[in-house]
Amino acid sequence: MTASDRPVPADIPAPAKDEVPDVVQTYRDELTRKQKDVIDDDWAGGIPAQYGVAPRIRIGHTKWFNLLWLIPIAFVILIAAIAVARGLREIPAVQDFMHTYPGTSELPSWAPVGFPAWVGWQHFFNLFLMIFIIRSGWQILADHPRLYWTRHSGPGKNWFRMQKPIPANPLYTAKEDSISLPSGVGLPGRRHTIGLARWWHLGVDTLWLLNGIVFYVLIFCTGQWVRLVPLHWDVISNAISVAIQYLSMNWPLETGWTNYNSLQLIAYFITVFIAAPLALITGLGMSPALSTRFHRLSKVLSIQVARSLHFLVMVWFVAFIVVHVTLVMATGALRNLNHMFASRNDDSWVGFWIFVLAMVIVVVGWVAATPVTYRYPRVIQKVGYALIGPAQRLFEHVDAGPKQYGQDDISPYFWHNGRYPDSAEYVALRERNFADYRLHVGGLVDNPVDLDLVQLRELAHHSQITQHFCIQGWSGVAKWGGVSMRTILDVVKPRPEAKWVIFYSFGEGSDGGIYYDAQPIEQMSYELTMLAYDMNDEPLSFGHGAPLRLRNEVQLGFKMVKWIKGIEFVEHFSEVGGGQGGYNNDHEFFGYSQSI
Ligand SMILES: Nc1nc2c(c(=O)[nH]1)N[C@H]1C(S)=C(S)[C@@H](COP(=O)(O)O)O[C@H]1N2
Ligand SMILES: [Mo]
């Protein structure tokens, strides 16, 4: 459709007279200017702590297995495996096998020997950054403590949860479902601190990726890669041999300076060349902008598949860290620490002391991260945005065009979220089924309008079947019916100075003052940006935003204001509310470009 052939009904009200105050401007007074600048007791509207349940996974359809049982089970299995391995070593055929495959696979003659200093530095940066990434990742998970293999994230669909089953209350919100993590375990800790956790996670991710890219380049330039990549099938036999040696408590000869044993080689290969890239790919698989744009790919790697795999990658990393550190310490700690922390191959204490220094830095970083975040959340928000903002802004430009889902993809369950409106103004409107509702659109436009629901329904109808991505991690597909924002732009004619569009809600945010959000004007003419008055072919329900809500499919769900009462075109959002570009940004340290 081009601009000219979009139908515009004749009964759109005439431009407001100059003496009539532009009503949307009065909405600014209903915003609270107070913004949060610390995390204190009344954080997130005084949300009380709520600890979930021990992690459990679903077995079959209805049975849940408490993962804490894995601790005794793993212990028993380990004891049994040790007994089996010891028995195996008595068998002559096994002895022959272990003689043929002593544990290492031969390297090409040109393979480098030892570790240059940059390996040690990169190893340190990597481990230091991983601490913040993993802790903030746990915090993000705690904000929606469930995992699914299908994008329809509803009851009966989760395969993992750290929370009770989803209650039957139809207005139960995803926010109510979030759980607390102890401060210092999660980053930052507490409950519903996902805004700050994401700055940590995504911000540190960029540094970790940079470190990883440098590492890839250097290992391929120096030939060090050959020590991390299995080149012969005999690594499998050698790895089995090493496993038997470890388990039988009769450990293999350490040759790490020149050549890793095959079990080590496989573990390092998986970590460097499979787990790390998978962390990036599955991370991007959760982006609303990319998933909407690369629609076909997202049919396979849906946000929930990506999120579940991302979680399993974390499990791999944590398991790797535990086993790796244990073996480093148990198989000649001084020599091993010299390899990685001092680039030398002897039994001196040099590497040990450098390692101690490194651990002091790690512990200080670990301990300080949470209190610093509670005290200076705005700094975390700014630094995080400086690091990941360029990528977030870049992905905002990937207009998906008309890409959509089919009728069959519509989710049977769609979470509710946010704080429900309860003002007298809203209650009165709802009592009369929104007969008196007017959408006020004004600000920097040539033709401010007030539209009632009949007039809105007379504007060109637009519908789309799209997927919702909540920042907390749940998703759902729905059919939205309403008016394209392009039509609204045609009607109100924004002035050239208008760069941002503010959506005001009848509902208050968690901390008081009305909920609002700022969107870049560019995205208002994307094919999939609309005002919805219908959901799944029915008038929008109270919980989902009656009578009108926003859809902007390159963004996360919190930007899609529900219960809209007005739209204001402005030059910049810094003039509005707390000035951060949205209620959640003012109060919960979210960001305004939320394409990832
Ligand atoms: N007015 C208002 N709009 C809001 C919210 C809110 O708290 N208040 N929550 C947002 C969040 S976080 C999400 S994920 C979506 C949820 O929409 P749904 O309840 O229809 O699923 O609405 C968004 N719009
Ligand atoms: Mo959300």
Side-chain angles (χ1 to χ4, degrees), residues 47 56 75 103 105-106 182 187 194 207 213 222 246 251 259 319 349 351 417 434 436 440-441 502 511 518 553 579:
I47 192 169
R56 49 202 73 205
F75 188 71
S105 178
E106 217 169 291
L187 181 53
I194 188 170
L207 302 176
I213 290 168
T222 58
Y246 278 134
W251 288 5
N259 191 357
W349 286 78
N417 220 355
F434 301 104
D436 311 314
H440 302 287
V441 192
I502 314 289
D511 258 342
E553 310 298 355

Side-chain angles (χ1 to χ4, degrees), residues 129-206:
L129 299 174
M130 285 295 277
I131 287 166
F132 305 107
I133 294 175
I134 292 174
R135 285 181 55 200
S136 55
W138 291 343
Q139 190 74 54
I140 293 169
L141 177 64
D143 226 54
H144 188 68
R146 306 176 186 279
L147 295 169
Y148 318 84
W149 290 116
T150 143
R151 64 177 85 249
H152 311 302
S153 32
K157 306 279 187 194
N158 32 188
W159 66 268
F160 170 97
R161 62 179 163 88
M162 294 192 294
Q163 181 52 293
K164 297 179 197 88
I166 301 173
N169 167 14
L171 288 180
Y172 182 68
T173 66
K175 250 190 211 183
E176 288 175 78
D177 203 52
S178 65
I179 61 171
S180 309
L181 286 185
S183 300
V185 176
L187 181 53
R190 299 178 69 144
R191 181 164 172 218
H192 195 50
T193 49
I194 188 170
L196 291 162
R198 274 171 50 97
W199 292 126
W200 272 107
H201 197 72
L202 299 173
V204 176
D205 277 353
T206 55

